[in-house]
Amino acid sequence: MQVVQRQQELFDAIRKENIPLDIFAIWDEILPDEIKHICQSPDTLFSAFVKYPDAFPCADEFLILWQTNGDSITAYLRAQKIYVRWHVEDGPLESEFEILGRSYQQLIARLLAHKISRGIDRRVLEDISAFFRFEYLQELTNYVQTSSDWEGDGSTTFIASIEAQK
C-alpha cells in the first residue's frame, strides 16, 4: 500500500474501503452540533501526515477519518481492517493505538454510547445516528440504558454480536 499523499487520494481510499462516513462533511465541518467537538476536520494533522509520514504509525495503511482537539486521530488501518484512535504525542508506535472497533458500526457505537449515557435529546441522537449511517440506534440505546458494561469495549462487543447474527 502507498502512503496517501493528497486529500482526494484519502477520500478515494475511504470510499474504496466502503466506509460509509460522509468525509466531505467532516472536512467541511458540516456536522450535527453535538459532535463538532469530537469529529473535527483533520486538515492540519493530515498536512503533518503528508509531510512527515514516518512520525505516524502504519503510515501506508493509515486513513485519517477525523481529529479531536488537534491531538488525536481517529483512523482506519487498511491492512488490519480496524478502526483506531491514536494520540499524536504517542509517536509512531503501533502499540499505542486504541482499537475502537473492527467494523464501522462498532466505531460509531462507541461514540454514540457516550451520548446516550448522557441522556441527550432523542432527536439530536437520531440526527447524529443518521449522519453516521448508524444502523443499531434502538438496540444500542436499550443496551446502554440497561447494562453497566457499555463503556469501553462493551458497546463494541454488543454491536459485534448483532453483526455476527446477520
Side-chain angles (χ1 to χ4, degrees):
M1 281 179 224
Q2 295 279 41
V3 175
V4 172
Q5 294 291 311
R6 294 181 356 251
Q7 182 185 45
Q8 190 58 52
E9 281 181 59
L10 174 66
F11 293 178
D12 291 346
I14 289 170
R15 272 195 300 279
K16 183 178 178 187
E17 294 294 334
N18 295 313
I19 299 170
L21 182 67
D22 186 347
I23 194 71
F24 296 105
I26 290 179
W27 278 72
D28 292 339
E29 299 179 334
I30 304 168
L31 319 149
D33 287 341
E34 278 288 325
I35 58 170
K36 284 184 177 180
H37 66 288
I38 297 170
C39 301
Q40 299 165 335
S41 172
D43 55 349
T44 55
L45 289 178
F46 182 72
S47 294
F49 173 77
V50 169
K51 288 179 185 173
Y52 309 104
D54 292 341
F56 291 73
C58 304
D60 60 332
E61 62 175 297
F62 210 67
L63 298 180
I64 298 173
L65 303 177
W66 65 76
Q67 72 182 36
T68 303
N69 297 328
D71 68 356
S72 72
I73 294 172
T74 297
Y76 179 72
L77 301 183
R78 294 182 277 187
Q80 298 177 54
K81 300 203 177 297
I82 57 174
Y83 293 87
V84 298
R85 178 177 302 123
W86 176 71
H87 294 273
V88 176
E89 71 270 5
D90 290 339
L93 299 176
E94 186 176 341
S95 62
E96 299 299 326
F97 285 138
E98 175 186 0
I99 297 175
L100 300 176
R102 300 201 174 278
S103 76
Y104 178 78
Q105 296 297 314
Q106 293 170 25
L107 165 70
I108 302 307
R110 282 181 85 111
L111 187 148
L112 286 175
H114 289 280
K115 298 295 182 187
I116 293 167
S117 74
R118 292 189 180 120
I120 69 169
D121 182 79
R122 180 71 185 181
R123 285 177 299 212
V124 172
L125 193 57
E126 288 169 353
D127 287 347
I128 296 169
S129 180
F131 174 80
F132 283 118
R133 296 176 177 99
F134 184 67
E135 299 173 7
Y136 308 108
L137 181 59
Q138 190 56 54
E139 295 92 333
L140 182 63
T141 301
N142 293 342
Y143 177 71
V144 170
Q145 291 174 342
T146 60
S147 174
S148 60
D149 192 29
W150 65 268
E151 288 189 88
D153 292 335
S155 58
T156 302
T157 302
F158 175 71
I159 296 302
S161 70
I162 293 174
E163 291 173 324
Q165 296 172 14
K166 285 189 156 189

